[in-house]
Amino acid sequence: MKIEDFNFAGHKAIVRVDFNVPLDENGNVTDETRIKGALPTLKKVLADGGALIMMSHMGKPKGKVKPELSLKQIVKNVSNNLGVEVKFAADCGKADAEAAALKPGEALLLENLRYYPEEEGKPVGVEKGTPEYDAAKAEMKNRQKEFAKKLASYADVYVMDAFGTAHRKHASTAVIADNFDKDHKMLGYLMEKEVKAVDNVLNNIKRPFTAIMGGSKVSTKIGIIENLLTKVDNLILCGGMTYTFAKAQGGKIGKSICEDDKLDVALDVMKKAKENNVNLVLGTDSICGDDFKNDANTQVAPSMNIPEGWEGMDAGPDTRKAFANAIKGSKTILWNGPAGVFEFDNFAGGSKAIAEAIAEATKEGAFSLIGGGDSVACINKFGLADQVSYISTGGGALLEAIEGKELPGVAAIEK
Ligand code: AMP
């Protein structure tokens, strides 16, 4: 079912949202982006004349009640954004009375789902690899099904709108969907937008297609890099990964970060790029620091010849030009991961050059998708968020989708 085609009048909808918002030490919400992201779906339910039940996790309480991770702290933010007084059910596993009393146009928020270990469905108190683990896992799967059934019993429609957790097969993100028929379960507007953005990048490619992968490690990105190697025209690899590639080619990298067990992986990426006619763009020069801090002494050095005692911390001037050249003129752009230690202003220039080139290409008609916490933080830091096509709310979920993996949160709705 498509949310646009569903009339919620007279229905009770349970919506999985991602309200895992940052809080300060007094429990005040410091960034409402995620609450605002869910509003189109939530408002549609209420505007149609439906009753709205919202459920989410917050943080990692690991199956235990942790007051500092209570969703009660965000009730007023949700109320203000939604324009209705949101009620609160202090136990998400025993909210029958609150759900039953809910009238059309009213909204209820359930307490943190992850207070229950059943939400994540991981066995508690048993070590992985022990003989007891398999039995505990099977038992927990059953408990997870029961917990999902309980959540489902509060409503007659299920809406999945939490892209940030769509790569997890949790009670509220996937298992619950088994309790609803096809006409009574759907993706929310935010999920639809996210899925469409990924589809634009992977299946509706306008060329040239340039992907920029940065961050600290090759190991966490290799699955995506391999998938992209069969799709892109230009692949820019930057950030800390640069030095694993430099060392693999016999370069000297000083004390730059490097994954010594991934040198063969780096060489294999280079070989596959050649085989697939992908223009692989690696940094040729680096801004190096003599200490891992913002006010370290700096010098520019070839990325293949970093002096002893120095580490590559950002893309150098030639590299920035090469990156910008590859990005400009592109028609599809994907960016994940910074080109340097952007948290330090003195080493943010490489990431800024990338962000500016993406903004320029977008102005010329490219579709640009930015995702993963750090690149989003980058684009915000440089004030360019409104100059790219789409900023994903998902970190892990986005990366898994780009890797070509099916997201359980999407699959559960479609089956
Ligand atoms: P990731 O979580 O793998 O996406 O990596 C993001 C982190 O990579 C950021 O915190 C950056 O500071 C860091 N990073 C980027 N370039 C470098 C570099 N050359 N050396 C060390 N850390 C880096």
Side-chain angles (χ1 to χ4, degrees):
M1 175 55 73
K2 281 238 169 291
I3 183 163
E4 193 53 35
D5 302 330
F6 193 83
N7 185 350
F8 288 90
H11 289 285
K12 229 168 240 175
I14 187 157
V15 185
R16 175 54 156 107
V17 287
D18 181 3
F19 282 170
N20 183 26
V21 292
L23 301 174
D24 67 14
E25 63 279 10
N26 299 316
N28 297 310
V29 178
T30 54
D31 183 347
E32 290 190 327
T33 308
R34 286 184 169 156
I35 297 175
K36 292 192 189 304
L39 288 179
T41 294
L42 306 179
K43 287 190 166 166
K44 153 95 169 143
V45 174
L46 295 175
D48 278 358
L52 171 66
I53 302 170
M54 294 164 280
M55 58 176 172
S56 176
H57 74 285
M58 171 165 293
K60 295 181 176 164
K62 303 224 162 105
K64 296 208 174 69
V65 174
K66 296 227 166 116
E68 68 276 19
L69 295 176
S70 172
L71 283 169
K72 187 151 208 249
Q73 301 169 99
I74 74 160
V75 168
K76 66 175 182 306
N77 301 78
V78 182
S79 297
N80 289 343
N81 276 286
L82 213 47
V84 298
E85 202 62 43
V86 172
K87 299 170 195 294
F88 186 68
D91 185 340
C92 64
K94 296 194 184 94
D96 312 66
E98 290 95 331
L102 206 65
K103 297 192 186 67
E106 291 185 342
L108 171 71
L109 176 64
L110 305 185
E111 180 57 290
N112 196 341
L113 292 160
R114 290 193 191 164
Y115 280 1
Y116 280 83
E118 287 85 353
E119 164 63 0
E120 294 186 78
K122 281 192 216 128
V124 208
V126 265
E127 284 289 312
K128 237 183 183 168
T130 58
E132 303 86 56
Y133 186 81
D134 284 346
K137 197 171 156 193
E139 196 234 353
M140 184 49 97
K141 284 285 157 218
N142 284 334
R143 279 168 56 187
Q144 186 182 48
K145 263 189 212 151
E146 285 309 306
F147 180 62
K149 205 167 162 183
K150 182 79 196 180
L151 297 172
S153 73
Y154 303 150
D156 59 284
V157 189
Y158 168 65
V159 186
M160 167 60 182
D161 211 19
F163 185 67
T165 49
H167 58 315
R168 305 275 182 230
K169 197 172 176 189
H170 291 171
S172 67
T173 59
V175 183
I176 186 175
D178 290 342
N179 297 285
F180 297 88
D181 65 34
K182 252 184 170 308
D183 295 334
H184 294 87
K185 57 182 168 187
M186 63 203 77
L187 298 179
Y189 287 121
L190 178 66
M191 280 290 299
E192 279 187 347
K193 250 186 3 188
E194 294 276 4
V195 169
K196 185 159 175 271
V198 172
D199 188 60
N200 257 335
V201 162
L202 289 187
N203 303 319
N204 184 18
I205 305 166
K206 298 201 175 55
R207 297 194 178 275
F209 177 10
T210 299
I212 307 125
M213 288 295 178
S216 55
K217 289 180 179 167
V218 182
S219 50
T220 53
K221 307 269 160 93
I222 188 63
I224 303 149
I225 291 172
E226 283 183 341
N227 191 30
L228 289 171
L229 275 171
T230 62
K231 298 198 156 76
V232 297
D233 302 291
N234 302 302
L235 178 61
I236 295 174
L237 295 180
C238 54
M241 282 191 250
T242 309
Y243 309 100
T244 302
F245 279 82
K247 188 164 180 184
Q249 295 172 79
K252 293 202 181 80
I253 59 165
K255 57 174 184 176
S256 308
I257 58 168
C258 178
E259 288 173 283
D260 284 319
D261 59 338
K262 292 289 174 293
L263 301 181
D264 52 339
V265 173
L267 291 177
D268 193 48
V269 166
M270 296 182 78
K271 188 169 143 246
K272 282 195 185 129
K274 212 175 249 160
E275 284 166 8
N276 292 330
N277 273 328
V278 170
N279 174 31
L280 180 65
V281 190
L282 285 161
T284 52
D285 60 349
S286 294
I287 311 273
C288 307
D290 60 353
D291 203 356
F292 195 77
K293 56 183 190 187
N294 187 44
D295 56 0
N297 294 309
T298 60
Q299 64 165 302
V300 176
S303 301
M304 292 279 281
N305 200 5
I306 311 260
E308 240 358 271
W310 293 72
E311 65 183 302
M313 288 169 69
D314 196 8
D318 290 347
T319 300
R320 293 179 197 183
K321 268 185 223 141
F323 287 177
N325 279 339
I327 293 166
K328 285 175 196 165
S330 299
K331 287 282 169 266
T332 305
I333 301 167
L334 168 72
W335 183 23
N336 172 269
V341 188
F342 78 103
E343 296 92 335
F344 298 150
D345 287 350
N346 292 338
F347 299 96
S351 303
K352 187 166 185 217
I354 289 176
E356 285 171 348
I358 294 176
E360 203 178 312
T362 309
K363 214 181 285 165
E364 300 291 318
F367 178 83
S368 51
L369 168 60
I370 322 292
D374 279 322
S375 357
V376 177
C378 265
I379 211 97
N380 286 331
K381 178 171 177 138
F382 309 132
L384 293 168
D386 57 350
Q387 294 182 46
V388 297
S389 311
Y390 192 75
I391 297 183
S392 174
T393 57
L398 177 76
L399 297 185
E400 290 200 12
I402 291 167
E403 249 180 81
K405 289 188 188 158
E406 186 180 59
L407 300 178
V410 177
I413 296 291
E414 284 168 356
K415 76 174 184 203

